[in-house]
């Protein structure tokens, strides 16, 4: 029953009801806001959740920054300097949503992310610079120069007094004992650092190194800000020498990293990229050489096998046949000679018989002795002649053998030579006398055999 | 490949190419010998390249006249 004081339409809330509605309205209207202010009453109990009041000249607002949000915001990886840390008096941007703690009807901001204004403006500038240079094509892969694997001269831009140069030398000593490092001592932090790095690039380019490392150890975002300089980015971009950027830690990214030909995660990493590992390279060469030797050995073994095959093929009996033929000729000729000499002797004997009665036996005897010695001389002359011919033929056969050894047998047939045999008896035809009209013969050429009948023959 | 301006990378690349060519079935002995010889020469070239330089740590500075100069420096390692 509604009190008569109210009209019929009047809605009356309970406290918890109105609080819930306000909570819902506020939370949905201020779901994602950025607020700028100064921190006061900062508390960080047990280093888990942060509580503080955000204020300006006229007003205050409670803020809670819970553990999960702190972790996911990447706040601790932002790497900001001491004066930008969250503490009383710090000037910050807070991102988050409005929430009501309805038991006490208090509202507060639940923060998702907090960025110190100083670091924030640097970050913003960084992002803007990055976008601008990216759109101009300074980061395009097509402009990246190749780093030589074996630079003769390594240029290094860093501070002579820092730990970075020592770290780099340590790595180089390990990888490649006889390197040549040319340091261009350069401040890598502070107001003029970017400009000085630019002129260091000028000097190394003029001097002529094969590669340049720009290196700096870890530091805050502000410390590394000289590596986000636009002039420096442009200078790196037009440099003729490939540049390796090794700035800060693995998590730090600078414009210099993006525009350089290679981004190394750290200065140490840059030293690992800049030159090959000498022992590894020597090992590679060694194993390639072993491979060469094995391949050549394999090749020779397979050629030996081919040569063996050539010798076992019938075609190689060829020269032996030639030699045999000459031997035969030699024997039959000397046989003939013997017979003839016998004939001469018997003829002489006849004359001797006839003349015996007329001629002094002593004179006759002397004549016979003379005949016998001239026969011996003749036979030795003929023997010599045959030896000469035989040696000549042997050496010819040797030449043929050599030629066959040094060339592939298949190519002999391919050159147009052929082998002809009698079909009957399969005898190689080496002499015109071996065939008669009407004989069937077989001619082997490189890729087959031809069968023919002898229709005519001409002796030379 | 007789050219002295061949870089270490090119020589190493050529070495690997030769190894691949030697592996091919149809290669003649003459070709294989030539390749082998080239490979041996290239290997020598690469090893020489690796040993060519002498360890030096130098600092590049500009004199007052604006001339570039390099001096040996010692860095405590």
């Amino acid at each position: 029953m509604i009190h008569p004081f109210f009209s019929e339409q009047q809605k009356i809330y309970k406290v918890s009801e109105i609080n819930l509605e306000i909570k819902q309205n506020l939370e949905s209207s201020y779901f994602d806001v950025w607020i700028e202010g100064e921190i006061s009453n900062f508390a960080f109990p047990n280093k888990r959740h942060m509580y503080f009041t955000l204020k300006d000249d006229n007003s205050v607002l409670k803020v809670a920054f819970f553990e999960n949000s702190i972790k996911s915001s990447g706040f601790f990886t932002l790497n900001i300097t001491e004066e930008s840390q969250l503490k009383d008096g710090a000037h910050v941007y807070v991102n988050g949503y409005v929430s009501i703690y309805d038991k006490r009807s208090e509202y507060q901001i639940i923060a998702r992310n907090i960025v110190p204004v100083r670091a924030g403006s640097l970050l913003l500038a960084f992002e803007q610079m990055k976008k601008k240079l990216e759109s101009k094509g300074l980061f395009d892969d097509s402009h990246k120069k190749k780093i030589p694997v074996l630079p003769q001269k390594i240029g290094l831009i860093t501070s002579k007094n820092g730990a970075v140069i020592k770290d780099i030398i340590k790595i180089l000593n390990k990888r490649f004992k006889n390197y040549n490092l040319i340091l261009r001592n350069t401040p890598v932090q502070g107001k003029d650092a970017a400009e000085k790095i630019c002129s260091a690039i000028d000097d190394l380019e003029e001097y002529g190194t094969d590669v340049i490392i720009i290196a700096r150890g870890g530091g805050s975002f502000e410390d590394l800000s000289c590596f986000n300089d636009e002039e420096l980015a442009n200078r790196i971009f037009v440099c003729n020498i490939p540049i390796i950027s090794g700035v800060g830690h693995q998590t730090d990214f600078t414009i210099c990293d993006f525009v350089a030909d290679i981004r190394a995660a750290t200065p140490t990493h840059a030293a690992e990229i800049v030159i090959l590992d000498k022992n590894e390279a020597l090992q590679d060469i060694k194993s390639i050489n072993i491979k060469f030797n094995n391949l050549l050995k394999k090749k020779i073994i397979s050629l030996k096998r081919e040569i063996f095959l050539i010798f076992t093929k019938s075609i190689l009996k060829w020269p032996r046949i030639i030699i045999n033929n000459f031997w035969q000729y030699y024997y039959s000729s000397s046989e003939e000679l013997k017979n003839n000499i016998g004939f001469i002797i018997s003829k002489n004997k006849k004359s001797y018989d006839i003349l015996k009665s007329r001629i002094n036996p002593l004179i006759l005897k002397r004549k016979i002795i003379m005949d016998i010695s001239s026969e011996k001389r003749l036979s030795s002359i003929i023997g010599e002649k045959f030896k000469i011919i035989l040696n000549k033929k042997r050496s010819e056969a040797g030449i043929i053998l050599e030629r066959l050894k040094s060339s592939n047998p298949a190519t002999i047939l391919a050159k147009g030579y052929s082998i002809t045999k009698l079909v009957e008896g399969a005898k190689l035809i080496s002499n015109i006398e071996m065939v008669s009209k009407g004989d069937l013969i077989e001619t082997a050429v490189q890729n087959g055999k031809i069968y023919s009948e002898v229709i005519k023959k001409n002796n030379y | 490949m007789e050219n002295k301006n061949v870089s270490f990378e090119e020589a190493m690349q050529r070495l690997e190419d030769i190894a691949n060519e030697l592996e091919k079935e149809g290669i003649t002995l003459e070709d294989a010998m030539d390749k082998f010889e080239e490979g041996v020469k290239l290997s020598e070239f690469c090893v020489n390249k690796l040993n060519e330089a002498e360890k030096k740590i130098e600092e590049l500075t500009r004199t007052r006249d604006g001339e570039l100069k390099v001096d040996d420096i010692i860095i405590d390692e």
Side-chain angles (χ1 to χ4, degrees), chain A residues 13 16-31 97-102 107:
Chain A
Y13 291 93
S16 57
E17 257 180 352
I18 184 79
N19 267 350
L20 183 63
E21 199 172 305
I22 291 170
K23 181 182 164 80
Q24 283 168 348
N25 276 332
L26 271 178
E27 285 182 3
S28 57
S29 318
Y30 300 98
F31 179 70
Y97 61 95
V98 174
S99 174
I100 287 193
Y101 186 48
D102 43 8
Y107 72 91

Side-chain angles (χ1 to χ4, degrees), chain A residues 31-96:
Chain A
F31 179 70
D32 186 15
V33 289
W34 279 96
I35 308 142
E36 181 187 348
E38 190 189 311
I39 291 175
S40 61
N41 301 321
F42 181 80
F44 196 7
N46 302 322
K47 301 279 172 200
R48 291 189 63 201
H49 313 303
M50 291 180 184
Y51 303 97
F52 59 88
T53 309
L54 197 62
K55 63 171 190 181
D56 63 12
D57 292 342
N58 303 313
S59 187
V60 295
L61 178 63
K62 286 200 162 178
V63 179
F65 196 16
F66 294 123
E67 194 177 17
N68 286 345
S69 303
I70 294 171
K71 281 181 184 157
S72 64
S73 69
F75 184 79
F76 286 107
T77 59
L78 240 165
N79 218 345
I80 29 197
T81 48
E82 198 55 36
E83 58 264 36
S84 304
Q85 291 293 346
L86 298 193
K87 60 181 183 185
D88 282 354
H91 193 184
V92 292
Y93 298 112
V94 175
N95 169 242

